[in-house]
Coordinates of all heavy atoms in Angstrom, one line a residue:
H1 N 8.9 42.9 21.6 CA 9.4 41.6 21.6 C 11.0 41.5 21.5 O 11.7 40.7 22.2 CB 8.9 40.9 20.2 CG 7.5 40.4 20.4 ND1 7.1 39.7 21.5 CD2 6.5 40.4 19.5 CE1 5.8 39.3 21.3 NE2 5.4 39.7 20.1
G2 N 11.5 42.5 20.7 CA 13.0 42.5 20.5 C 13.7 42.9 21.8 O 14.7 42.3 22.1
I3 N 13.2 43.9 22.5 CA 13.8 44.4 23.8 C 13.8 43.2 24.8 O 14.7 42.9 25.5 CB 13.1 45.6 24.3 CG1 13.4 46.8 23.4 CG2 13.5 45.9 25.7 CD1 12.6 48.1 23.7
A4 N 12.6 42.5 24.9 CA 12.5 41.4 25.8 C 13.4 40.3 25.5 O 14.0 39.6 26.3 CB 11.0 40.9 25.8
T5 N 13.6 40.0 24.2 CA 14.6 39.0 23.8 C 16.0 39.3 24.2 O 16.7 38.5 24.8 CB 14.6 38.9 22.3 OG1 13.2 38.5 21.8 CG2 15.5 37.8 21.8
L6 N 16.4 40.6 24.0 CA 17.7 41.0 24.5 C 17.9 40.9 26.0 O 18.9 40.5 26.5 CB 18.0 42.4 23.9 CG 18.0 42.6 22.4 CD1 18.3 44.1 22.0 CD2 19.2 41.7 21.8
L7 N 16.9 41.4 26.6 CA 17.0 41.5 28.1 C 17.0 40.0 28.8 O 17.5 39.9 29.9 CB 15.7 42.2 28.7 CG 15.6 43.7 28.5 CD1 14.4 44.3 29.1 CD2 16.8 44.4 29.1
T8 N 16.5 39.1 28.0 CA 16.5 37.7 28.5 C 17.6 36.8 27.9 O 17.6 35.6 28.0 CB 15.2 37.0 28.4 OG1 14.8 37.0 27.0 CG2 14.1 37.7 29.2
G9 N 18.6 37.4 27.3 CA 19.8 36.8 26.8 C 19.6 36.2 25.4 O 20.6 35.5 25.0
G10 N 18.6 36.6 24.6 CA 18.6 36.2 23.2 C 19.1 37.2 22.3 O 19.7 38.2 22.6
S11 N 18.9 36.9 21.0 CA 19.4 37.8 20.0 C 18.3 38.0 18.9 O 17.5 37.2 18.7 CB 20.7 37.2 19.3 OG 20.3 36.0 18.7
V12 N 18.3 39.2 18.3 CA 17.3 39.5 17.3 C 18.0 39.7 16.0 O 18.9 40.4 15.8 CB 16.6 40.9 17.7 CG1 15.6 41.3 16.6 CG2 15.9 40.7 19.1
S13 N 17.4 39.0 15.0 CA 18.0 39.1 13.6 C 17.4 40.4 12.9 O 18.2 41.3 12.5 CB 17.5 37.9 12.8 OG 17.8 38.1 11.4
H14 N 16.1 40.5 12.9 CA 15.5 41.7 12.2 C 14.0 41.7 12.5 O 13.4 40.8 13.1 CB 15.7 41.7 10.7 CG 15.1 40.5 10.0 ND1 15.6 39.3 10.0 CD2 14.0 40.4 9.2 CE1 14.9 38.5 9.3 NE2 13.9 39.2 8.8
I15 N 13.4 42.9 12.3 CA 12.0 43.1 12.4 C 11.4 43.3 11.0 O 12.1 44.0 10.1 CB 11.7 44.4 13.3 CG1 11.9 44.0 14.7 CG2 10.3 44.9 13.0 CD1 11.7 45.2 15.7
E16 N 10.2 42.8 10.7 CA 9.6 42.9 9.5 C 8.2 43.6 9.6 O 7.5 43.0 10.4 CB 9.5 41.6 8.7 CG 9.1 41.7 7.3 CD 9.3 40.4 6.6 OE1 9.7 39.4 7.2 OE2 9.0 40.3 5.3
L17 N 7.9 44.6 8.9 CA 6.6 45.2 8.9 C 6.0 45.1 7.6 O 6.6 45.1 6.6 CB 6.7 46.7 9.4 CG 7.4 47.0 10.7 CD1 7.5 48.5 10.9 CD2 6.6 46.3 11.8
F18 N 4.6 44.9 7.6 CA 3.9 44.7 6.3 C 2.9 45.8 6.1 O 2.5 46.5 7.0 CB 3.2 43.3 6.4 CG 4.1 42.2 6.6 CD1 4.3 41.6 7.9 CD2 4.9 41.6 5.6 CE1 5.1 40.6 8.1 CE2 5.7 40.5 5.8 CZ 5.8 40.0 7.1
M19 N 2.5 45.9 4.8 CA 1.5 47.0 4.4 C 0.2 46.9 5.2 O -0.4 47.9 5.4 CB 1.2 46.9 2.9 CG 2.4 47.5 2.1 SD 2.6 49.2 2.3 CE 1.1 49.9 1.7
N20 N -0.2 45.7 5.5 CA -1.5 45.5 6.2 C -1.5 45.7 7.6 O -2.5 45.6 8.3 CB -2.1 44.1 5.9 CG -1.2 43.0 6.5 OD1 -0.2 43.3 7.1 ND2 -1.6 41.8 6.4
G21 N -0.4 46.2 8.2 CA -0.2 46.5 9.6 C 0.2 45.3 10.4 O 0.4 45.5 11.7
A22 N 0.6 44.2 9.9 CA 1.1 43.1 10.6 C 2.6 43.2 10.7 O 3.2 44.2 10.0 CB 0.7 41.8 9.9
G23 N 3.2 42.4 11.5 CA 4.6 42.5 11.7 C 5.2 41.2 12.3 O 4.4 40.4 12.9
L24 N 6.5 41.0 12.2 CA 7.2 39.9 12.8 C 8.5 40.3 13.4 O 9.2 41.3 12.9 CB 7.5 38.8 11.7 CG 6.2 38.1 11.2 CD1 6.7 37.3 10.0 CD2 5.6 37.2 12.2
C25 N 8.9 39.7 14.5 CA 10.3 39.9 15.1 C 11.0 38.6 15.0 O 10.5 37.6 15.6 CB 10.1 40.4 16.5 SG 11.8 40.6 17.3
Y26 N 12.1 38.6 14.2 CA 12.8 37.3 14.1 C 13.9 37.2 15.2 O 14.9 38.1 15.1 CB 13.4 37.2 12.7 CG 12.4 37.1 11.6 CD1 11.8 38.3 11.0 CD2 12.0 35.9 11.1 CE1 10.9 38.2 10.1 CE2 11.1 35.8 10.1 CZ 10.5 37.0 9.6 OH 9.5 36.9 8.6
S27 N 13.9 36.3 16.1 CA 14.8 36.3 17.2 C 15.2 34.8 17.5 O 14.5 33.9 17.0 CB 14.1 36.9 18.4 OG 13.0 36.2 18.8
Q28 N 16.2 34.7 18.3 CA 16.7 33.4 18.7 C 17.1 33.5 20.2 O 17.7 34.4 20.7 CB 17.9 33.0 17.9 CG 18.2 31.5 18.0 CD 19.3 31.2 17.0 OE1 20.2 32.0 16.7 NE2 19.3 30.0 16.5
G29 N 16.6 32.4 21.0 CA 17.1 32.4 22.4 C 16.1 33.3 23.2 O 15.1 33.8 22.8
G30 N 16.5 33.5 24.5 CA 15.7 34.3 25.4 C 14.6 33.5 26.1 O 14.5 32.3 25.8
W31 N 13.8 34.2 26.9 CA 12.8 33.5 27.6 C 11.5 33.6 26.9 O 10.9 34.8 26.8 CB 12.7 34.1 29.1 CG 11.8 33.4 30.0 CD1 11.3 32.1 29.9 CD2 11.0 34.1 31.1 NE1 10.4 31.9 30.9 CE2 10.2 33.0 31.6 CE3 11.0 35.3 31.7 CZ2 9.4 33.3 32.8 CZ3 10.3 35.6 32.8 CH2 9.4 34.5 33.3
P32 N 10.9 32.6 26.4 CA 9.8 32.7 25.5 C 8.6 33.3 26.2 O 7.8 34.0 25.6 CB 9.4 31.2 25.3 CG 10.8 30.5 25.4 CD 11.5 31.2 26.5
V33 N 8.4 33.1 27.5 CA 7.2 33.7 28.2 C 7.3 35.2 28.2 O 6.3 35.9 27.9 CB 7.1 33.1 29.6 CG1 5.9 33.8 30.4 CG2 6.8 31.6 29.6
M34 N 8.4 35.7 28.6 CA 8.6 37.2 28.6 C 8.5 37.8 27.2 O 7.8 38.8 27.0 CB 9.9 37.6 29.3 CG 10.1 39.1 29.5 SD 11.5 39.4 30.5 CE 11.5 41.3 30.4
I35 N 9.1 37.1 26.3 CA 9.1 37.6 25.0 C 7.7 37.6 24.4 O 7.3 38.5 23.8 CB 10.1 36.7 24.0 CG1 11.5 36.8 24.5 CG2 9.9 37.1 22.6 CD1 12.5 35.8 23.9
G36 N 7.0 36.5 24.6 CA 5.6 36.4 24.0 C 4.7 37.4 24.7 O 3.8 37.9 24.0
F37 N 4.9 37.6 26.0 CA 3.9 38.5 26.7 C 4.2 40.0 26.4 O 3.3 40.8 26.5 CB 4.0 38.3 28.2 CG 3.0 39.0 29.0 CD1 1.6 38.7 28.9 CD2 3.3 40.0 29.9 CE1 0.7 39.4 29.6 CE2 2.4 40.6 30.7 CZ 1.1 40.3 30.5
S38 N 5.4 40.3 26.1 CA 5.9 41.6 26.0 C 5.3 42.4 24.8 O 5.2 43.7 24.9 CB 7.5 41.7 25.9 OG 7.8 41.1 24.6
G39 N 4.9 41.7 23.7 CA 4.4 42.5 22.6 C 3.2 43.4 22.8 O 3.3 44.6 22.6
Y40 N 2.1 42.8 23.3 CA 0.9 43.6 23.4 C 1.1 44.5 24.7 O 0.6 45.6 24.8 CB -0.3 42.7 23.6 CG -0.7 42.1 22.3 CD1 -0.5 40.7 22.1 CD2 -1.2 42.8 21.2 CE1 -0.9 40.1 20.9 CE2 -1.6 42.2 20.1 CZ -1.4 40.8 19.9 OH -1.7 40.2 18.7
L41 N 1.8 43.9 25.7 CA 2.1 44.7 26.9 C 2.9 45.9 26.6 O 2.6 47.1 27.0 CB 2.9 43.9 27.9 CG 3.4 44.6 29.2 CD1 2.3 45.0 30.0 CD2 4.4 43.7 29.9
G42 N 4.0 45.8 25.8 CA 4.8 46.8 25.3 C 4.1 47.9 24.6 O 4.3 49.1 24.7

């Protein structure tokens, strides 16, 4: 998600990982479609 955000002109604040295996990528800008698709694809 973070790499896709940067490649499409956005910025990444930080990544957060949780004990249960979940995670979040805090970003701003970029192309939502590429960013959204890139997680499971990546």
